[in-house]
Amino acid sequence: RKEVEQDPGPFNVPEGATVAFNCTYSNSASQSFFWYRQDCRKEPKLLMSVYSSGNEDGRFTAQLNRASQYISLLIRDSKLSDSATYLCVFHSGNTPLVFGKGTRLSVIA
Amino acid sequence: NAGVTQTPKFRILKIGQSMTLQCAQDMNHNYMYWYRQDPGMGLKLIYYSVGAGITDKGEVPNGYNVSRSTTEDFPLRLELAAPSQTSVYFCASSYSVGGRDEQYFGPGTRLTVT
């Protein structure tokens, strides 16, 4: 099983739609989880951390399911500017972050 | 603060040439990283450093070398460039190696080896 698995997409959704991505991880010792966003031909940037109890930041909601070893990202009321690749990231111990390959989202007018 | 800066932005190398990709950060971060990202693929860690004078291999270190003589700078050296090293190279830094600390990325260097 790969360390982290994401559906590469693309997810093509109309403006205003709700879209959700999942990401599974294999290392049960993983301690910290994040979603990063990468725009086309740009560097990745932190979108949000993922907390055990779930957390929300505006239109974005992140969830962690330790039992099934996955995290999710829900985007409500999608905007054109949400079009990007969303990278699932996790961390354990004193090792560097592990990045997923990303899920591509295209929001269409 | 400039954050993480990388030079050059673009470079074309001939097979067998060498070059150094420069990376600097002004956030006084202990940890610095070099990644490569091939088209449509994820980030692969090449090398990382936990502080001045200390470096460690990542997932794909072959064909590269690094040094960390100061907290601010973390250059990546390519010796004998090969077409397989055509990629986008990102440098990043963070206060700690993971945990709750955000990893900041530079804008990347697009390298083509022909």
Side-chain angles (χ1 to χ4, degrees):
Chain A
R1 184 177 176 184
K2 293 180 183 174
E3 278 195 287
V4 56
E5 292 197 62
Q6 291 185 254
D7 182 341
F11 284 64
N12 299 314
V13 302
E15 268 187 296
T18 295
V19 62
F21 315 129
N22 282 346
C23 169
T24 59
Y25 61 94
S26 61
N27 185 353
S28 59
S30 299
Q31 298 163 311
S32 304
F33 306 87
F34 311 90
W35 285 101
Y36 275 66
R37 170 193 168 129
Q38 186 173 22
D39 292 323
C40 188
R41 299 177 72 82
K42 297 284 190 180
E43 71 273 23
K45 293 184 180 178
L46 179 66
L47 176 67
M48 59 196 301
S49 300
V50 185
Y51 301 126
S52 296
S53 54
N55 48 297
E56 198 172 294
D57 183 1
R59 297 181 293 108
F60 299 82
T61 301
Q63 299 268 350
L64 165 63
N65 185 318
R66 283 194 186 273
S68 301
Q69 294 186 205
Y70 73 87
I71 65 172
S72 63
L73 178 67
L74 180 80
I75 306 174
R76 288 182 299 278
D77 189 23
S78 298
K79 312 289 185 194
L80 293 175
S81 57
D82 293 335
S83 297
T85 297
Y86 291 85
L87 308 176
C88 159
V89 184
F90 72 92
H91 163 257
S92 62
N94 284 323
T95 58
L97 298 177
V98 178
F99 286 80
K101 292 183 179 180
T103 296
R104 196 151 58 97
L105 171 66
S106 286
V107 181
I108 305 159
Chain B
N1 283 354
V4 180
T5 57
Q6 292 184 239
T7 56
K9 284 188 169 50
F10 305 92
R11 183 72 186 268
I12 298 174
L13 279 183
K14 293 191 187 306
I15 294 170
Q17 286 185 321
S18 300
M19 76 165 292
T20 299
L21 281 67
Q22 301 291 345
C23 173
Q25 53 90 11
D26 62 359
M27 297 173 281
N28 203 30
H29 284 166
N30 295 321
Y31 294 83
M32 296 187 75
Y33 315 83
W34 274 106
Y35 296 89
R36 60 175 287 172
Q37 187 175 36
D38 299 333
M41 302 297 284
L43 295 164
K44 293 185 179 179
L45 183 65
I46 304 171
Y47 271 97
Y48 67 103
S49 169
V50 304
I54 307 170
T55 62
D56 210 345
K57 294 179 181 178
E59 183 185 355
V60 289
N62 291 344
Y64 307 94
N65 279 301
V66 292
S67 59
R68 184 100 181 266
S69 56
T70 66
T71 299
E72 294 78 19
D73 301 297
F74 190 39
L76 177 72
R77 178 84 178 158
L78 276 72
E79 306 281 4
L80 298 175
S84 61
Q85 293 178 305
T86 294
S87 191
V88 180
Y89 291 84
F90 289 105
C91 178
S93 73
S94 64
Y95 182 72
S96 69
V97 76
R100 300 289 176 189
D101 293 309
E102 180 176 354
Q103 200 163 102
Y104 294 85
F105 285 82
T109 294
R110 295 181 184 279
L111 175 68
T112 301
V113 182
T114 61

